[in-house]
Amino acid sequence: MLSIKNLHANVEGKEILKGINLEIKAGEVHAIMGPNGSGKSTLANVLTGNKSYEVTGGEVVFDGKDLLDLDTETRAREGMFLAFQYPVEIPGISNATFLKTALNELRKYKSLPELTPREFLERIKEKANILGLDETLISRYVNVGFSGGEKKRNEIFQMLMLEPKFVLLDETDSGLDIDALRIVSDGVNVYKNEKNAFLVITHYQRLLNYIHPDFVHVLYKGKIIKSGGKELALELEDKGYDWIKTEEVEIDKA
Amino acid sequence: MTGKEFYIDNFKIFQEKLNGESKSFLNEIRKDALKSLSELEFPTNKVEDWKYTNVTPILKQNFVPAVNASVPKITEKEIQSYLFQDFDCHLLVFINGLYSEELSIVGQLPKGAVAGSLRNLTKENPELLSKYLNKISITDNAFNALNTAYALDGLVVVVPDGIIIEKPIQVLYLNTNDKENVLSLPRNLVVAGKNSQVSIVANYRGAGEKIYFSNIITEVFADENSIVDLCKIQNETDDSFHIEKVQAIQKKNSVFNHYNITFGGSITRNDINSRLDGENIETHYYGLYMVNGKQHVDNHTFVDHAKPNCMSNEVYKGILDDSSRGVFNGKIIVRRDAQKTNAYQQNETILLSNKATIDTKPQLEIFADDVKCSHGATVGHLDETSEFYIRSRGVPQELAKSMLIRAFANDVIETVKIDPLKEQINHMIFEHLHRVEIKTE
Ligand SMILES: Nc1ncnc2c1ncn2[C@@H]1O[C@H](COP(=O)(O)OP(=O)(O)OP(=O)(O)O)[C@@H](O)[C@H]1O
Ligand SMILES: [Mg+2]
């Protein structure tokens, strides 16, 4: 579904991604772990087309299309979704207006008719229910006055509403208490199927207890320096990143 | 003949037109003002308060005072598209500043309450008027003198003690003329008695082929415990000129909410002044201006804290596109006696183009020692991270920008108390800025 080859990217002239290679197939869940500043969010931003990040090399193919050629909204309409590490507040625009606008844009792109107000409401009810969200939230302004946890939950709610093919979760677990973590993970698991795929960015193994990754990758200084199964996450939790860094240095020397 | 001489000269014609009306108390006021007009110069950029606003384009034209000009025939049907709809209100219509009895629909008012025209009330109840008219506002400059010299018509609302006018009063000031450049001179007076309440929507609109000049004075007297909402929405034609001075005097425990929303006008200048003459007064100023092309909008506000324990809060927001220009000057005086004053002021500007500019200046003069005052000004562009967030959900860039414009304007729109009015203001924002509309719900 998503094939990243030798991806390089700069932020403000500084190289942050230094040759990322990653193959993600439909039905798979990949986790990316790595120390602060290693480039995890940068990767998420590059994949979703944030213009502050400049791609300097490599290619990304998404469902047979050259992803890097598409603007942000087209990527979204093609099925790319990012649950933001820091969701944005939009006063004056209700969640309902926001979601209806987005949903109708996606449907227009697929030549589907707009949802009727009733269909829209039913979908909202159904999805809100999965996440145990208060329905009044839908009439509130996008993320305004939401607690940190509510904002993260709202990201997953948007995911359920928009039904993307490829989902990037950027530290969706941070700031969540245990209950919220389980609810959010349930939301992801309910949605997960053979046709979609996930790239989960996290610092903590605990999320991966709920969302089981098929692969775990370690991003360090803009490169994936180690990949493995979910046991790698446990090992990282246990030992931190130092042992891999040392391995890496040895590889470099060799 | 220059602007000033032209207006002085026209005064004779005006006086002849008045016939019997020239014997009123008002005519003494007019004659004094004419004298001031002959003595005063129109402000130039050398005057500090007019530093950023050049009025030469206004003075280059000779605008015929509406009462001396031809009167356009406007039908009830024609005014519909200018009215704010979907809420129950009393309606007063002024065409080029002159009251139109036929087009106005004033419903039943509580006993003693008045919502009518200055011209009629000068005849019907001069005693009432003379207590307030021209006693609240003083002549600051030649524009004020010009308004007063020709003071003939305008809105008069008088709410007796203890009376609440339930329905808002919508006042349509429609300026339109296809034959000559007209000077429209509404002279408004709002008097709210003790424990009274009134809400006014002042709806300034323009049409017609000729340019015009609206030069307005609005006097507001808010007596003890009264609540006055004055919501001005200005959508003059883009090549016309609009100057208004609002002067309010507030007595103890009163609340004055002033909304100042600007869409139209080639040059717009608002002076919004309140004197807080009592304790426990609240004053709220909300401003929103969305301009483009070569429009110039200048808002000067002045809150004069004269007594202790009052609060004023001011939020002015501007969205400037193309080569438009904004000016904001927020003056707050806290006089020596005005201890425990809370005064806040915020001016935020979004520039949608690199050619748009804003000059913003707070002007705080604080003579009391136990006060809380704050002010802030920000100037920026639409936030790129927010835009990215919205687009990442599949929303096209133009729509994302519209959402952010709406989000920016929200602080002000949200405070408007009449819900259908909010929606219509929302619509006007996108219409005026030529952007995709976001319908909010
Ligand atoms: N918009 C930006 N402007 C400037 N520098 C940036 C920007 N975004 C990222 N960077 C820099 O790029 C580097 C990688 O940042 P990134 O946010 O991708 O790290 P991360 O792995 O997500 O870290 P964290 O675990 O703290 O979220 C950091 O040095 C960061 O300061
Ligand atoms: Mg990050």
Side-chain angles (χ1 to χ4, degrees), chain A residues 45 48-51 71-73 76-77 81-82 84 88 90-94 97-98 100-102 105 141 143 155 158, chain B residues 383-386 388-399 402-404 406-408 410-411 414 438-441:
Chain A
N45 277 286
T48 43
N50 188 336
K51 290 223 176 59
D71 60 20
T72 297
E73 50 269 40
R77 294 169 196 162
F81 182 91
L82 168 61
F84 279 59
V88 164
I90 317 171
I93 308 290
S94 69
T97 301
F98 185 66
K100 200 186 276 180
T101 309
E105 289 295 335
Y141 297 150
N143 292 325
E155 293 293 288
Q158 291 180 17
Chain B
D383 182 50
E384 285 180 8
T385 307
S386 304
F388 170 62
Y389 180 75
I390 300 170
R391 292 174 69 189
S392 79
R393 300 315 186 225
V395 177
Q397 186 173 27
E398 279 312 299
L399 216 51
S402 289
M403 279 192 188
L404 294 175
R406 180 59 181 77
F408 178 75
N410 193 57
D411 287 345
E414 195 170 56
I438 297 289
K439 294 229 197 297
T440 52
E441 52 213 294

Side-chain angles (χ1 to χ4, degrees), chain B residues 362-396:
Chain B
Q363 194 184 339
L364 272 56
E365 296 170 21
I366 297 168
F367 303 100
D369 44 33
D370 185 12
V371 302
K372 277 191 200 139
C373 282
S374 76
H375 65 88
T378 63
V379 181
H381 298 270
L382 291 178
D383 182 50
E384 285 180 8
T385 307
S386 304
E387 185 185 311
F388 170 62
Y389 180 75
I390 300 170
R391 292 174 69 189
S392 79
R393 300 315 186 225
V395 177

Side-chain angles (χ1 to χ4, degrees), chain B residues 41 84 95 142 185 195 237-238 284 306 314 373 397 430 432:
Chain B
E41 293 305 324
F84 290 110
I95 307 293
L185 297 159
N195 301 300
T237 54
D238 280 355
H284 296 270
E314 181 170 4
C373 282
Q397 186 173 27
F430 297 108
H432 188 78

